[in-house]
Amino acid sequence: MSSATTAPHTAPPPTPAEPSRDPRRTGAVLALTRFEARELLFQAPVLLVFAFYALIVITRLVPTDGMDAYPVLNTVDRRTQTLPLLVALSVLICTNAAALRSRKGGTVQQFGVLPMEPWRRSLAHVLSAVPYAALTALFVVAEYVWEALKPGAIGHGSFGELAVGPLAVLLAGALGVLLARVLPTRFGPVLFSVGAYLAFILASAVADGGGWSGWLSPVVLTPETGSDPIPSDLIGRPAGWHALYMAGLCAVLTCAVLLLAGGGRARAVRAATVLALVVTAAGAIGQLPRGAAALDAARKAASEAPGKAAQSCTTYGRSRYCSFPEWEVVRSEWAEVVDRLQSAAGGSAARAGLTIRQRVYAIDGESGAGALWPSSTPGQVTVGTRWGGNRVPEFAVGAASVLVSGREDMTLDEGCDGRTVVVMWLVLGTERDPLDTFQHVRLDDRVSGSGLVLAPTNGLSMTAHQTEVVRDMLKEPRAGMTARVKAHWEELTARRTTTAQVAKVLGVEVPKGVETCEE
């Protein structure tokens, strides 16, 4: 009888299972995130940059001139994007140094005995930048809300533009950790920052010129400071899509860090990577230019024929005040200036009905940098998109010129035109501090000698004799001088009236010497 022996049954070796979700691991990541965030706070670059950031924001909130009372919110939102780049640079340097700390201290091998995987430690380094992105967002919101709550605030801002600063800080944190993985040297952030700055400048120029590829840069710098604002409808920046693109880019860089740190086995990391790529692609595609021809046509119409553009008008007294919808809030203040000028004028000018037309220069894009040419329409006065401060007497110069000569394009500086004296009297004669206004409306900030008087379009060229006569008029009792100007209005505003004749008619001393008209 034979007996068969059967080999003992051996079970197949277990396949390695994906690590189960352990809440303790999530808690460990958050604990390490809090530790690394506190460590960043004590790094000199982060601390000093945030102190500088706070100082600049506070300085911006302190009024410096009258224009601060009339902020244009579609420029305020873009203004908040510049300073966070300094915060982003400091976060980039410090998160990179934190991720390289173990390599520098020679403790990399010791991490192998810890239960936390390398990719989770890398995730904690990336997340340590989140509090600083949130703090940046707090500064951005505070600056914007402060401006938006002013009674003279004009227009509205864009959430997409406001989100750029905080997202740039978050992106810098992920990039700092990624550089520590790809280029483990302390000079990596410096080398990258130089290249990134040059790329930002190039991308901004491409984007401002209408190129779509410029918007693939995380940050598109705003136009030069000092340019005049334009209506929001004419800006044409894909701010919302760009914010989505930046958010997706933050996620892509974070996922790249996790994959390089060995997190590819985790199903959540793989899924997040796919989702981040989809979001980034959607944001990039969304920035593709749409309706470029219509936008260019609208900009051209607003620049060359604002009366046919999307403007509305309001009547105050005898005059009409037309502006783009966002500037409705300041029309009544334009009317106050015109009423003040007409109260000091005589003849038909005191009863004239003017058309105050807001004009912009937007042909070259969103920068608004360009001169406005004088209007040839009788009785039309140009007003720009900035108001308050020196813009008020400059507008008064333009309106007074039209009251005296009838049209903006009729120059008053040919042949020592005495009407320039009358224009300046209308502007200064009803001011509380006429000499101070006189100084600020002059290009050279002087109240003596020859000089150029600023206006929304062409300014006035004043001779030294005209300046002297105006100063003498301001020394006289205001009521008496106003009565004389009104009584002799027709003679004073005649085209052939000279500066000397104006002085004689108004009873002030005639300047000595020969008047030089080419001063």
Side-chain angles (χ1 to χ4, degrees):
M1 182 176 181
S2 62
S3 62
T5 60
T6 59
H9 178 72
T10 58
T15 57
E18 184 177 308
S20 59
R21 295 181 181 177
D22 189 346
R24 290 175 296 179
R25 292 182 178 179
T26 303
V29 171
L30 295 178
L32 183 57
T33 298
R34 289 193 294 270
F35 171 79
E36 294 294 347
R38 285 196 300 269
E39 287 296 307
L40 288 180
L41 181 61
F42 295 109
Q43 300 299 312
V46 172
L47 193 60
L48 292 177
V49 167
F50 264 107
F52 176 72
Y53 186 15
L55 179 63
I56 294 298
V57 170
I58 293 174
T59 303
R60 282 177 174 175
L61 300 183
V62 176
T64 56
D65 57 39
M67 284 189 291
D68 294 326
Y70 302 90
V72 181
L73 299 182
N74 68 29
T75 62
V76 173
D77 57 7
R78 287 178 283 163
R79 188 183 70 188
T80 63
Q81 299 175 5
T82 306
L83 284 177
L85 294 181
L86 294 177
V87 178
L89 179 60
S90 67
V91 169
L92 168 66
I93 294 172
C94 293
T95 53
N96 180 265
L100 291 174
R101 189 190 307 123
S102 58
R103 181 183 295 270
K104 181 180 178 181
T107 59
V108 177
Q109 294 79 6
Q110 299 178 16
F111 284 143
V113 300
L114 298 178
M116 182 182 290
E117 299 94 326
W119 70 269
R120 292 182 186 272
R121 291 196 300 273
S122 297
L123 177 61
H125 281 294
V126 174
L127 293 179
S128 66
V130 172
Y132 300 96
L135 184 58
T136 303
L138 184 62
F139 277 107
V140 168
V141 170
E143 183 176 358
Y144 178 80
V145 170
W146 178 271
E147 301 286 4
L149 291 180
K150 292 180 178 179
I154 297 169
H156 56 83
S158 166
F159 174 80
E161 300 285 8
L162 295 172
V164 167
L167 287 174
V169 175
L170 193 60
L171 184 67
L175 186 57
V177 182
L178 180 61
L179 286 177
R181 282 283 173 182
V182 177
L183 192 63
T185 172
R186 60 181 179 176
F187 297 108
V190 178
L191 297 175
F192 180 84
S193 298
V194 173
Y197 175 75
L198 296 176
F200 288 165
I201 296 295
L202 177 61
S204 299
V206 173
D208 192 42
W212 169 76
S213 59
W215 286 97
L216 296 180
S217 167
V219 178
V220 177
L221 300 179
T222 57
E224 63 273 11
T225 304
S227 58
D228 290 334
I230 64 174
S232 299
D233 294 341
L234 304 180
I235 293 177
R237 289 170 61 93
W241 287 110
H242 187 67
L244 180 65
Y245 169 73
M246 286 191 66
L249 208 56
C250 291
V252 167
L253 293 186
T254 301
C255 291
V257 169
L258 303 184
L259 293 174
L260 290 175
R265 290 180 55 196
R267 189 181 308 166
V269 174
R270 297 196 300 269
T273 303
V274 173
L275 180 60
L277 289 172
V278 171
V279 171
T280 305
I285 295 172
Q287 295 176 124
L288 284 169
R290 296 180 179 84
L295 179 61
D296 290 342
R299 287 173 173 174
K300 184 176 181 180
S303 303
E304 298 180 353
K308 299 179 182 179
Q311 288 192 344
S312 59
C313 300
T314 303
T315 300
Y316 290 100
R318 291 175 293 271
S319 300
R320 295 175 70 244
Y321 299 84
C322 304
S323 71
F324 295 96
E326 293 169 279
W327 278 264
E328 291 182 4
V329 67
V330 294
R331 291 179 188 171
S332 60
E333 305 210 12
W334 300 343
E336 290 179 5
V337 175
V338 172
D339 290 345
R340 176 167 58 84
L341 296 175
Q342 289 190 299
S343 68
S348 60
R351 304 180 300 276
L354 303 177
T355 298
I356 285 70
R357 175 78 63 186
Q358 187 176 52
R359 296 168 59 196
V360 298
Y361 184 90
I363 295 177
D364 295 336
E366 64 182 275
S367 65
L372 298 176
W373 56 92
S375 171
S376 60
T377 304
Q380 179 168 302
V381 181
T382 295
V383 63
T385 53
R386 291 189 183 275
W387 187 249
N390 292 347
R391 301 295 88 81
V392 177
E394 289 173 14
F395 166 70
V397 171
S401 299
V402 173
L403 287 174
V404 171
S405 65
R407 283 181 8 199
E408 280 186 342
D409 63 347
M410 295 182 66
T411 58
L412 300 177
D413 56 353
E414 297 178 356
C416 301
D417 198 328
R419 293 179 296 174
T420 300
V421 175
V422 182
V423 170
M424 295 310 300
W425 165 254
L426 294 182
V427 174
L428 304 174
T430 54
E431 287 281 353
R432 293 181 179 178
D433 191 346
L435 287 179
D436 181 70
T437 302
F438 196 11
Q439 178 183 358
H440 285 90
V441 83
R442 288 265 295 237
L443 183 61
D444 55 5
D445 292 331
R446 296 189 307 155
V447 292
S448 62
S450 60
L452 182 66
V453 178
L454 300 174
T457 56
N458 283 358
L460 300 180
S461 180
M462 293 189 70
T463 66
H465 283 203
Q466 291 168 347
T467 303
E468 186 177 343
V469 171
V470 170
R471 291 184 59 184
D472 288 343
M473 292 173 65
L474 295 175
K475 295 176 184 177
E476 298 290 326
R478 183 171 298 183
M481 182 58 66
T482 301
R484 272 176 270 173
V485 169
K486 289 183 176 182
H488 301 279
W489 182 262
E490 299 299 333
E491 183 180 357
L492 294 173
T493 57
R495 294 198 63 178
R496 300 300 179 185
T497 303
T498 64
T499 304
Q501 290 171 334
V502 170
K504 291 179 181 178
V505 169
L506 295 178
V508 298
E509 183 178 355
V510 178
K512 296 179 175 61
V514 179
E515 185 175 18
T516 303
C517 303
E518 300 296 332
E519 298 185 49

XYZ file of all heavy atoms in Angstrom, residues 395-430:
260
model
N -8.607 121.236 -14.315
C -9.891 121.223 -15.012
C -10.474 122.627 -15.088
O -11.062 123.031 -16.107
C -10.860 120.282 -14.301
C -12.293 120.429 -14.723
C -12.708 120.033 -15.986
C -13.228 120.978 -13.860
C -14.027 120.172 -16.382
C -14.549 121.122 -14.238
C -14.949 120.720 -15.508
N -10.301 123.399 -14.010
C -10.807 124.768 -14.002
C -10.127 125.609 -15.086
O -10.771 126.450 -15.729
C -10.591 125.394 -12.629
N -8.837 125.381 -15.319
C -8.131 126.107 -16.385
C -8.753 125.786 -17.737
O -9.000 126.676 -18.562
C -6.626 125.743 -16.378
C -5.943 126.313 -17.626
C -5.959 126.277 -15.121
N -9.024 124.503 -17.980
C -9.645 124.119 -19.249
C -11.030 124.704 -19.414
O -11.376 125.215 -20.499
N -11.840 124.667 -18.360
C -13.197 125.206 -18.449
C -13.174 126.719 -18.619
O -13.953 127.290 -19.402
C -13.990 124.817 -17.202
N -12.289 127.399 -17.888
C -12.205 128.859 -18.007
C -11.734 129.265 -19.405
O -12.195 130.277 -19.960
C -11.250 129.407 -16.952
N -10.829 128.485 -19.993
C -10.373 128.787 -21.352
C -11.527 128.733 -22.349
O -11.623 129.562 -23.259
C -9.270 127.810 -21.762
O -8.155 127.922 -20.908
N -12.416 127.747 -22.177
C -13.565 127.638 -23.077
C -14.544 128.776 -22.829
O -15.134 129.323 -23.777
C -14.245 126.266 -22.896
C -15.537 126.188 -23.704
C -13.298 125.142 -23.310
N -14.736 129.175 -21.574
C -15.624 130.297 -21.291
C -15.102 131.585 -21.931
O -15.878 132.424 -22.396
C -15.755 130.496 -19.779
C -16.598 129.473 -19.012
C -16.516 129.732 -17.520
C -18.051 129.503 -19.486
N -13.787 131.748 -22.000
C -13.201 132.977 -22.534
C -13.090 132.943 -24.050
O -13.433 133.921 -24.740
C -11.813 133.220 -21.903
C -11.087 134.363 -22.602
C -11.958 133.534 -20.415
N -12.624 131.803 -24.605
C -12.351 131.756 -26.053
C -13.418 131.015 -26.846
O -13.496 131.173 -28.064
C -11.003 131.076 -26.301
O -11.041 129.724 -25.891
N -14.229 130.187 -26.191
C -15.306 129.478 -26.882
C -14.970 128.055 -27.263
O -15.857 127.209 -27.337
N -13.671 127.737 -27.490
C -13.284 126.383 -27.896
C -11.927 126.035 -27.302
O -11.080 126.902 -27.121
C -13.202 126.265 -29.428
C -14.540 126.167 -30.083
C -14.488 126.020 -31.583
N -13.210 125.821 -32.209
C -13.006 126.044 -33.506
N -13.989 126.508 -34.262
N -11.821 125.826 -34.041
N -11.733 124.745 -27.052
C -10.469 124.295 -26.477
C -9.305 124.464 -27.435
O -8.172 124.709 -27.014
C -10.562 122.811 -26.069
C -11.261 122.569 -24.761
C -11.189 121.122 -24.333
O -10.907 120.256 -25.195
O -11.437 120.843 -23.147
N -9.550 124.278 -28.721
C -8.444 124.306 -29.672
C -8.078 125.716 -30.122
O -7.229 125.884 -30.997
C -8.757 123.439 -30.890
C -9.970 123.945 -31.665
O -10.706 124.804 -31.133
O -10.179 123.475 -32.796
N -8.700 126.744 -29.557
C -8.334 128.130 -29.861
C -7.297 128.577 -28.843
O -7.607 128.819 -27.675
C -9.567 129.043 -29.821
C -10.585 128.719 -30.900
S -12.012 129.841 -30.896
C -11.235 131.383 -31.373
N -6.039 128.634 -29.253
C -4.958 128.937 -28.333
C -5.035 130.379 -27.853
O -5.514 131.272 -28.545
C -3.598 128.706 -29.021
O -3.526 129.530 -30.178
C -3.436 127.249 -29.416
N -4.517 130.580 -26.634
C -4.546 131.908 -26.019
C -3.142 132.480 -25.847
O -2.967 133.485 -25.164
C -5.208 131.833 -24.642
C -6.652 131.328 -24.612
C -7.148 131.251 -23.190
C -7.550 132.214 -25.442
N -2.148 131.843 -26.437
C -0.784 132.288 -26.182
C -0.140 132.939 -27.394
O 1.073 133.058 -27.460
C 0.065 131.101 -25.723
C 0.047 129.953 -26.714
O -0.723 130.026 -27.694
O 0.789 128.987 -26.501
N -0.928 133.302 -28.368
C -0.353 133.944 -29.544
C -0.394 135.465 -29.373
O -1.433 136.041 -29.052
C -1.136 133.547 -30.806
C -1.063 132.053 -31.111
C -1.882 131.683 -32.332
O -2.557 132.581 -32.864
O -1.868 130.510 -32.736
N 0.743 136.117 -29.595
C 0.774 137.580 -29.542
C 0.545 138.137 -28.164
O -0.094 139.178 -28.017
N 1.060 137.467 -27.122
C 0.896 137.939 -25.737
C -0.575 138.167 -25.414
O -0.985 139.236 -24.951
C 1.698 139.220 -25.503
S 3.475 139.045 -25.793
N -1.372 137.191 -25.706
C -2.830 137.300 -25.584
C -3.228 137.640 -24.150
O -2.982 136.875 -23.216
C -3.455 135.964 -26.002
C -4.932 136.105 -26.330
O -5.592 136.950 -25.709
O -5.410 135.363 -27.209
N -3.860 138.789 -23.977
C -4.264 139.229 -22.652
C -5.373 138.401 -22.046
O -5.618 138.476 -20.834
N -6.049 137.583 -22.867
C -7.128 136.752 -22.328
C -6.616 135.709 -21.333
O -7.385 135.220 -20.504
C -7.874 136.061 -23.476
C -8.636 137.031 -24.372
C -9.321 136.308 -25.504
N -8.355 135.663 -26.397
C -8.692 134.867 -27.410
N -9.975 134.615 -27.642
N -7.768 134.347 -28.182
N -5.335 135.383 -21.422
C -4.761 134.443 -20.459
C -4.899 134.975 -19.036
O -5.147 134.214 -18.089
C -3.277 134.190 -20.791
O -3.172 133.634 -22.102
C -2.640 133.248 -19.787
N -4.768 136.275 -18.871
C -4.924 136.886 -17.550
C -6.350 136.685 -17.045
O -6.580 136.366 -15.862
C -4.577 138.387 -17.604
C -4.861 139.065 -16.267
C -3.128 138.574 -18.016
N -7.329 136.834 -17.931
C -8.725 136.664 -17.530
C -8.995 135.209 -17.141
O -9.682 134.929 -16.144
C -9.661 137.095 -18.679
C -11.119 136.958 -18.259
C -9.369 138.532 -19.098
N -8.447 134.280 -17.919
C -8.623 132.859 -17.592
C -8.085 132.560 -16.200
O -8.748 131.919 -15.371
C -7.917 131.979 -18.650
C -7.871 130.517 -18.197
C -8.619 132.079 -19.993
N -6.881 133.046 -15.905
C -6.283 132.763 -14.606
C -7.034 133.456 -13.472
O -7.093 132.942 -12.351
C -4.811 133.178 -14.605
C -3.946 132.367 -15.564
S -4.156 130.568 -15.382
C -3.660 130.334 -13.684
N -7.640 134.605 -13.760
C -8.445 135.246 -12.717
C -9.684 134.401 -12.405
O -10.046 134.231 -11.240
C -8.864 136.653 -13.143
C -9.964 137.193 -12.271
C -11.278 137.344 -12.595
C -9.836 137.602 -10.907
N -11.982 137.819 -11.526
C -11.116 137.995 -10.462
C -8.767 137.684 -10.031
C -11.346 138.458 -9.189
C -8.988 138.145 -8.736
C -10.270 138.518 -8.331
N -10.334 133.867 -13.434
C -11.493 133.011 -13.175
C -11.109 131.799 -12.333
O -11.853 131.373 -11.448
C -12.106 132.535 -14.508
C -12.735 133.596 -15.411
C -13.321 132.940 -16.654
C -13.800 134.390 -14.675
N -9.931 131.242 -12.606
C -9.497 130.049 -11.875
C -9.120 130.387 -10.441
O -9.491 129.671 -9.503
C -8.300 129.392 -12.593
C -7.745 128.231 -11.774
C -8.700 128.927 -13.985
N -8.406 131.487 -10.253
C -7.833 131.794 -8.942
C -8.677 132.747 -8.113
O -8.559 132.781 -6.885
C -6.432 132.394 -9.117
C -5.426 131.547 -9.906
C -4.145 132.341 -10.120
C -5.132 130.244 -9.177
N -9.521 133.535 -8.780
C -10.229 134.603 -8.079
C -11.204 134.139 -7.026
O -11.556 134.918 -6.132
N -11.646 132.899 -7.100
C -12.601 132.391 -6.105
C -11.993 131.300 -5.227
O -12.716 130.636 -4.486
C -13.839 131.825 -6.814
O -13.425 130.853 -7.786
C -14.619 132.921 -7.516
